[in-house]
């Protein structure tokens, strides 16, 4: 059962990477500052938050849950930080060390929150006039362990 839980959590991470990568790749110049309205997070603030969430998730599975939000830096730095944190978390889950938090809490907290924020970025892309193509994610080539920014091409996209 523990292996099934690890595999599921790693699949969630690969899903976040796939969907996040699709949304972040090809973002236009100036997108980092895009926001729906003045009192909402900008795109770069959302990406920084995504990185913070993955770093928090890693400290949680290591048994030392610590929320340590970082102020947003440049766009590419935050994108790189997000994917680096995803990779570190996936590496931990791929190993044999015990998971130091309830897996259900890990999913309902930082991982589900990350999926929400990836959706916000997709909405911001559409609002900025450079939408990402819709996709049947059920058919997407998501693979456990594939958590970097570059992903396999989609199998079924549509407008």
């Amino acid at each position: 059962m523990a292996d099934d839980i690890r595999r599921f959590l790693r699949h969630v991470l690969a899903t976040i990477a796939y969907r996040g990568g699709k949304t972040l790749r090809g973002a236009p110049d100036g997108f980092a500052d895009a926001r729906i309205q003045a009192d909402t997070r900008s795109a770069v603030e959302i990406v920084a938050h995504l990185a913070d969430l993955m770093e928090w998730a890693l400290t949680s599975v290591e048994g030392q849950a610590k929320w340590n939000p970082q102020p947003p830096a440049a766009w590419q730095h935050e994108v790189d930080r997000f994917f680096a944190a995803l990779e570190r978390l996936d590496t931990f889950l791929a190993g044999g060390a015990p998971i130091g938090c309830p897996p259900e809490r890990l999913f309902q907290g930082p991982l589900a929150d990350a999926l929400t924020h990836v959706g916000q970025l997709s909405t911001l892309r559409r609002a900025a006039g450079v939408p990402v193509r819709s996709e049947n994610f059920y058919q997407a080539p998501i693979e456990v362990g594939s958590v970097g920014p570059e992903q396999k091409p989609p199998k079924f996209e549509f407008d």
Side-chain angles (χ1 to χ4, degrees):
M1 180 69 108
D3 287 343
D4 290 341
I5 290 169
R6 282 179 185 273
R7 181 164 177 74
F8 174 74
L9 291 173
R10 292 186 68 212
H11 188 84
V12 171
L13 296 181
T15 300
I16 292 168
Y18 183 88
R19 287 177 171 237
K22 180 174 182 148
T23 301
L24 296 171
R25 276 188 306 279
D29 289 340
F31 181 67
D33 298 321
R35 58 180 79 229
I36 295 295
Q37 52 187 53
D39 62 344
T40 62
R41 286 182 178 140
S42 68
V44 73
E45 289 170 332
I46 294 171
V47 177
H49 183 63
L50 283 165
D52 294 339
L53 287 168
M54 294 306 101
E55 290 168 352
W56 173 41
L58 178 60
T59 65
S60 297
V61 297
E62 292 172 337
Q64 302 289 326
K66 184 176 180 190
W67 177 246
N68 186 27
Q70 300 297 308
W75 174 260
Q76 194 58 52
H77 173 81
E78 294 304 339
V79 169
D80 293 344
R81 187 167 75 92
F82 166 58
F83 283 107
L86 267 173
E87 289 175 8
R88 288 191 308 274
L89 180 54
D90 186 68
T91 297
F92 179 92
L93 291 171
I99 298 174
C101 65
E104 300 84 357
R105 299 272 181 186
L106 185 67
F107 177 76
Q108 77 186 35
L111 302 185
D113 199 23
L115 287 166
T116 296
H117 294 305
V118 167
Q120 289 174 329
L121 288 168
S122 183
T123 299
L124 271 175
R125 285 281 302 259
R126 184 166 297 280
V130 284
V132 292
R133 292 191 72 201
S134 297
E135 181 173 351
N136 179 337
F137 288 105
Y138 186 86
Q139 295 181 15
I142 296 169
E143 295 179 2
V144 167
S146 180
V147 293
E150 297 303 320
Q151 297 286 319
K152 288 186 175 182
K155 289 188 176 183
F156 185 69
E157 286 184 312
F158 52 94
D159 295 315

